[in-house]
Amino acid sequence: MDWSIQEIAQLTSTTSRTLRHYDAIGLLPPSRIAANGYRCYDEAALVRLQRILLLKELGLPLVRIAEVLDDTEDPITALSEHVTSLGRERERLGRQIAAVTATITRLKAGESLMAEEMFDGFDHRQYEEEVTARWGAEAYRRSDEWWTGLSDQQRRDFKADVADLQRDWIAAAADGEGPESPRCRELARRHIAWLSRTPGTPAADPDGDLRGYVTGLAEMYVSDERFSANFGGSDVARLVRDSLLAHLAATRD
């Protein structure tokens, strides 16, 4: 059995134009072309499209999605990994909902908040599949081992450093600082130093491509709304990006 391009577009809430684009770039060619010239897709194509949409939700560019798909020939293995990751995400969201609901209940009752229960489910491992797809399983493994090996106080200190950096970027943007200003140059230096303290990233690897990693990450701060939100919006994210790129250019050997 196969499906027409119109049927696939309807099933996936996408458009025929998108599917034709996937065909044009070699990401999802049709299984056959019917006598009337319409593209048709079989079950194998549907499985590939399902994986494309899963990876697209992670924010991966189409070029990277093609590389990930080509790296795993067995669709059952690949989809099983997706299911495992989605199951962990579902469990994490359940814990997060429970934690936020408990906070609301305590606030309504005028009770003291329980700090140890407020952040259950706010887990960095929600990004496991995305990190693995972007930078490899070894990068995630090293980062996860480092994070789980920290004490509660060390984790709080790390999060406090991140919050301080985000706050200072937001303040610099509010004050109208430019990417070439001494203040933003210092923030960029701090930012890269912070990245370099996180095992598993190319920034922390003496042999890693620090410049390439920071450049790619800087662009993601603007293009990925999740990153932009961390800085309070796209305007601050652009200042972070431009400052990081300016710092890299100024320190080029």
Side-chain angles (χ1 to χ4, degrees):
M1 179 180 179
D2 56 19
W3 293 261
S4 69
I5 189 170
Q6 291 83 4
E7 290 173 323
I8 296 300
Q10 185 175 10
L11 284 170
T12 58
S13 298
T14 186
T15 65
S16 298
R17 180 179 180 181
T18 296
L19 294 172
R20 287 193 292 271
H21 176 62
Y22 289 171
D23 178 18
I25 64 176
L27 184 61
L28 183 71
S31 306
R32 69 182 183 89
I33 304 295
N36 58 8
Y38 286 0
R39 294 169 171 83
C40 296
Y41 300 83
D42 61 12
E43 290 185 350
L46 260 63
V47 170
R48 185 174 176 90
L49 178 57
Q50 186 182 58
R51 295 185 62 201
I52 290 170
L53 297 178
L54 284 168
L55 293 168
K56 190 176 179 183
E57 285 187 1
L58 295 174
L60 296 187
L62 296 181
V63 172
R64 183 62 182 130
I65 289 175
E67 294 174 354
V68 172
L69 294 178
D70 292 341
D71 285 344
T72 309
E73 295 183 359
D74 181 8
I76 295 177
T77 298
L79 289 173
S80 295
E81 293 173 354
H82 281 303
V83 168
T84 298
S85 295
L86 290 170
R88 282 197 292 265
E89 176 67 0
R90 180 177 61 186
E91 187 271 338
R92 185 191 69 81
L93 287 173
R95 289 162 44 212
Q96 196 174 89
I97 290 170
V100 175
T101 300
T103 298
I104 293 172
T105 300
R106 288 183 179 278
L107 288 172
K108 285 182 175 180
E111 299 176 354
S112 298
L113 298 178
M114 300 289 289
E116 61 271 19
E117 73 179 13
M118 289 175 63
F119 302 103
D120 188 27
F122 292 80
D123 191 341
H124 76 293
R125 282 173 289 187
Q126 63 178 298
Y127 301 114
E128 175 182 357
E129 188 168 0
E130 182 170 2
V131 171
T132 300
R134 288 184 185 277
W135 294 296
E138 177 62 17
Y140 177 80
R141 184 192 65 77
R142 290 175 57 193
S143 180
D144 186 59
E145 285 183 354
W146 163 75
W147 181 257
T148 55
L150 296 178
S151 67
D152 289 343
Q153 184 59 52
Q154 287 173 320
R155 291 181 189 177
R156 285 193 290 269
D157 291 343
F158 181 83
K159 291 179 179 179
D161 288 343
V162 176
D164 287 344
L165 193 57
Q166 291 170 339
R167 183 198 63 230
D168 291 346
W169 277 120
I170 292 171
D175 291 341
E177 296 282 355
E180 301 281 356
S181 70
R183 183 176 176 183
C184 286
R185 286 288 303 277
E186 174 59 19
L187 278 172
R189 185 200 63 76
R190 280 176 53 197
H191 199 110
I192 294 174
W194 164 65
L195 291 173
S196 301
R197 295 197 303 271
T198 308
T201 70
D205 184 350
D207 299 321
D209 181 10
L210 173 64
R211 291 183 179 276
Y213 173 67
V214 173
T215 298
L217 199 58
E219 295 295 345
M220 284 174 59
Y221 289 159
V222 176
S223 63
D224 191 321
E225 61 182 15
R226 295 169 302 173
F227 285 104
S228 296
N230 287 335
F231 295 108
S234 58
D235 289 343
V236 184
R238 281 192 289 271
L239 177 63
V240 177
R241 177 197 62 188
D242 295 345
S243 298
L244 289 173
L245 296 181
H247 180 78
L248 290 176
T251 56
R252 185 178 300 277
D253 294 334

